Amino acid sequence: MSKLIEKDQWVWVVIQDPGGVEQFLGQQDAKNDETFIPVFLEKEEAQQGLSFLVREKGLKYEVQAILYEDLSQRAGEYGFMLFLLNGAGEVLEKIET
């Protein structure tokens, strides 16, 4: 559960390969051995934060909105945490799913 996000709140994530084999853009924090999906509260923050994320060359990326409750459930099914980030790429909250 998040302290900063309500379960019925819309949040912003980065989608890898929109229109193709779409998936959430996941990240690996090797230092802490954590895999996570970056989450943003505002679309503009997500667009700014995209430059701080590791991406695969040759693929398209798009910022999209999703209900936090749906994202949390999907992330948990695949063993990902959620990291709430700001536009500068700073972690505001780490969320276990």
Side-chain angles (χ1 to χ4, degrees), residues 62-75:
E62 182 177 283
V63 172
Q64 295 184 8
I66 185 171
L67 278 172
Y68 171 71
E69 184 176 35
D70 293 341
L71 175 63
S72 180
Q73 180 181 349
R74 290 183 190 182

Side-chain angles (χ1 to χ4, degrees), residues 17-56:
D17 199 18
V21 183
E22 293 183 348
Q23 62 183 10
F24 298 115
L25 176 61
Q27 301 287 284
Q28 175 73 36
D29 179 359
K31 182 178 176 183
N32 296 312
D33 193 32
E34 297 171 318
T35 54
F36 66 95
I37 297 171
V39 180
F40 301 87
L41 294 177
E42 302 292 333
K43 182 177 184 178
E44 294 76 22
E45 288 182 337
Q47 290 169 329
Q48 292 169 357
L50 183 57
S51 64
F52 298 101
L53 302 176
V54 177
R55 294 173 281 167
E56 194 175 321

